[in-house]
Amino acid sequence: MKNYKILFVCLGNICRSPAAEGILKRMIKEQGLEDKISVDSAGTSGYHDGELPDSRMRQHGSRRGYKFDSLSRRFTTDDFYNFDIIIAMDDNNYHNIMRMAPDPESERKLYRMVEFSKRFGHDHIPDPYYSGADGFELVLDLLEDACEGLLDKIKKGEL
Ligand code: 4NP
């Protein structure tokens, strides 16, 4: 199996992408793939630079046994060179990242998270920031499902 560096990207890097990072990291650990796959996350905005994930996201995650503790940082053009796979949570994130791509090789690294969904048919991972508890639970359901699909594709050599 090839080695992969994966970067999840949302707007604030305090809800969706740090949760995706924590979920995928746990799956990688459970499957003994730590020396093959590394994971990070970033936000297109920089609004929350240096902050821990949103306390609601951390609480909902901890009920499922996750520890979301990465610090928010802004996505940069260098990320196209430092990562193999860049995964956007929604269409706004996708287009904002695509606009920054320095070359066609970089463009080919970019995916939408829902492309990896197995059980769900959502067309994006909804921003939970202004939602209630249900929104956070839905995001976790969608991310767990898509992280499974992502790992399946990696293990089959499809990425
Ligand atoms: P995220 O959620 O993109 O999943 O981290 C958001 C966090 C903060 C804001 C928007 C979305 N905000 O506008 O501050």
Side-chain angles (χ1 to χ4, degrees):
M1 200 181 115
K2 278 198 298 184
N3 285 13
Y4 292 89
K5 288 183 185 167
I6 298 171
L7 181 68
F8 291 113
V9 186
C10 59
L11 174 63
N13 191 211
I14 56 167
C15 294
R16 293 165 292 177
S17 62
E21 177 185 347
I23 289 167
L24 188 62
K25 277 183 172 163
R26 190 170 87 187
M27 289 178 180
I28 288 168
K29 193 169 177 200
E30 284 167 357
Q31 299 184 31
L33 297 170
E34 292 118 305
D35 56 340
K36 294 277 173 199
I37 309 172
S38 63
V39 192
D40 193 10
S41 66
T44 56
S45 72
Y47 295 156
H48 296 275
D49 260 3
E51 293 179 20
L52 278 169
D54 185 283
S55 58
R56 297 164 295 174
M57 192 81 253
R58 300 180 75 198
Q59 254 170 17
H60 284 273
S62 77
R63 285 197 222 141
R64 299 188 190 203
Y66 298 111
K67 193 156 189 252
F68 301 145
D69 58 3
S70 57
L71 299 183
S72 176
R73 72 168 180 88
R74 190 171 192 172
F75 179 83
T76 71
T77 306
D78 277 351
D79 288 317
F80 285 109
Y81 302 111
N82 295 333
F83 292 89
D84 306 301
I85 298 174
I86 298 170
I87 302 175
M89 294 295 143
D90 64 31
D91 282 349
N92 276 332
N93 311 146
Y94 183 90
H95 293 300
N96 287 331
I97 299 163
M98 189 61 93
R99 267 199 287 277
M100 293 171 71
D103 50 38
E105 191 189 343
S106 299
E107 290 178 0
R108 285 193 292 274
K109 293 182 174 182
L110 184 58
Y111 297 83
R112 289 175 174 83
M113 189 60 166
V114 290
E115 290 177 50
F116 305 108
S117 298
K118 293 173 73 172
R119 290 183 293 117
F120 289 91
H122 287 56
D123 63 3
H124 69 289
I125 308 295
D127 181 348
Y129 197 64
Y130 296 105
S131 78
D134 288 358
F136 285 88
E137 287 299 311
L138 173 64
V139 165
L140 289 174
D141 290 340
L142 292 170
L143 294 178
E144 286 178 336
D145 182 51
C147 281
E148 265 182 50
L150 171 63
L151 269 190
D152 288 351
K153 286 208 167 176
I154 286 176
K155 287 188 285 187
K156 284 190 211 153
E158 291 175 5
L159 274 179

